[in-house]
Amino acid sequence: MVEEVRAEVSYRPYWIAWFALLILTLSMVYIGSPAALIAGMIVKAALIIFWFMHMRMERLSFALIVLLSIFATSMVLYLLIMPDGKAM
Amino acid sequence: MMWWFIVSDALLFAGFLASYGFNRLASDVWPDRTQVFHMNFIVAMTFILISSSATMATAVAAASKRDRKVILRFLLLTLLGGICFLGMQAFEWTALIRQGARLDSNPWGAPAFSAFFFMITGFHGTHVLIGVIILAVVFNMARKEKCTAEGVELAGLYWHFVDLVWVFIFGSFYLL
């Protein structure tokens, strides 16, 4: 967490991230490929987590605990369990 | 603590979206999203939520600078963005309900479609509503100069998480 007073903090990176999110969102509406859509969602999520939520300023070990726990569980859900729906 | 809440809540939404995906793959028929949703309207909702995340990030940065004027202005913009998103979601739900969509049935075929739609977007909308309440409290505290930079940052973390979840809901329901 960022607790100290940081007078030099700039607002600019947030608006660059906002613009990138906007462009990604608009391009995702027109791109029909599921693989490209999933990649777009992951890039958007990374922009939000690392820039807006300041994960890039956290310790690496903390970022790994948070991201790996979500990633590992999601992989079990989306790669092992969800595809079984096809066999139903 | 906020991060641990975010991890557990993220896994809850991951479970919801995985069960949605499972049911969608298991279903013989699935509605054509372009016939059910008005994409321009949904993109506008997404635009508002992304923009409110950017205004929230600006408010958090202003809080670390102790720039009260900017904090208040951007917290208010974020709050308005949240209220606007909720209003648009209520409008979208009303339109779908008027067309006959219910929790157990809908005019487009697969009953699971509307069940998952209302459950997942409703759960997300509840998060937005809670976020709006948190933002109103933080705004009021900041107005009275009773809010710490950490308080604004925690509210910001929650708000960005709500935006993060929408990225996946928007992708899974409205685009895929």
Side-chain angles (χ1 to χ4, degrees):
Chain A
M1 245 152 266
V2 188
E3 282 159 1
E4 71 273 29
V5 180
R6 295 152 55 91
E8 80 287 359
V9 170
S10 160
Y11 302 132
R12 206 177 138 89
Y14 302 119
W15 292 95
I16 295 173
W18 168 78
F19 188 69
L21 284 167
L22 197 63
I23 297 295
L24 270 168
T25 304
L26 288 176
S27 37
M28 278 165 73
V29 174
Y30 296 101
I31 296 168
S33 146
L37 284 174
I38 292 165
M41 283 192 253
I42 291 167
V43 173
K44 277 173 76 178
L47 276 170
I48 293 170
I49 294 170
F50 286 95
W51 262 261
F52 286 166
M53 296 170 96
H54 295 152
M55 189 61 107
R56 69 200 161 104
M57 294 175 190
E58 301 284 355
R59 285 198 317 273
L60 180 66
S61 56
F62 178 80
L64 284 175
I65 291 169
V66 169
L67 297 175
L68 280 180
S69 62
I70 297 176
F71 178 77
T73 317
S74 300
M75 287 304 103
V76 172
L77 286 171
Y78 294 111
L79 296 181
L80 296 179
I81 298 175
M82 199 180 84
D84 287 354
K86 265 186 202 160
M88 298 296 281
Chain B
M1 279 306 286
M2 180 56 89
W3 271 109
W4 305 124
F5 164 76
I6 286 172
V7 169
S8 61
D9 216 21
L11 294 178
L12 188 69
F13 275 105
F16 278 163
L17 287 174
S19 58
Y20 160 74
F22 185 96
N23 273 273
R24 185 169 165 173
L25 288 173
S27 179
D28 295 331
V29 285
W30 203 258
D32 177 4
R33 61 181 177 84
T34 53
Q35 283 186 339
V36 181
F37 303 119
H38 296 282
M39 279 316 289
N40 291 342
F41 188 76
I42 307 300
V43 170
M45 279 171 73
T46 308
F47 169 74
I48 287 168
L49 206 61
I50 289 172
S51 304
S52 78
S53 231
T55 55
M56 187 71 224
T58 308
V60 171
S64 69
K65 283 183 179 184
R66 305 247 163 97
D67 190 344
R68 192 167 162 267
K69 211 173 146 187
V70 178
I71 299 172
L72 289 176
R73 188 187 304 150
F74 280 89
L75 274 179
L76 188 64
L77 280 172
T78 312
L79 189 59
L80 289 175
I83 293 169
C84 210
F85 180 88
L86 280 177
M88 289 172 90
Q89 192 168 49
F91 184 82
E92 189 204 11
W93 271 41
T94 310
L96 289 176
I97 291 166
R98 281 204 181 129
Q99 287 175 68
R102 298 290 182 272
L103 274 173
D104 57 354
S105 65
N106 63 71
W108 307 288
F113 167 74
S114 50
F116 276 106
F117 174 79
F118 286 125
M119 185 186 72
I120 295 176
T121 60
F123 211 75
H124 176 265
T126 311
H127 277 71
V128 178
L129 179 64
I130 293 167
V132 163
I133 295 167
I134 292 171
L135 283 171
V137 172
V138 170
F139 177 78
N140 197 37
M141 284 170 76
R143 204 169 51 85
K144 293 176 185 164
E145 295 193 40
K146 280 183 183 168
C147 194
T148 61
E150 197 190 352
V152 180
E153 175 157 19
L154 288 177
L157 269 179
Y158 177 82
W159 193 256
H160 297 315
F161 171 71
V162 167
D163 185 27
L164 179 66
V165 169
W166 184 254
V167 166
F168 292 99
I169 295 177
F170 176 66
S172 314
F173 266 99
Y174 300 100
L175 297 179
L176 273 174

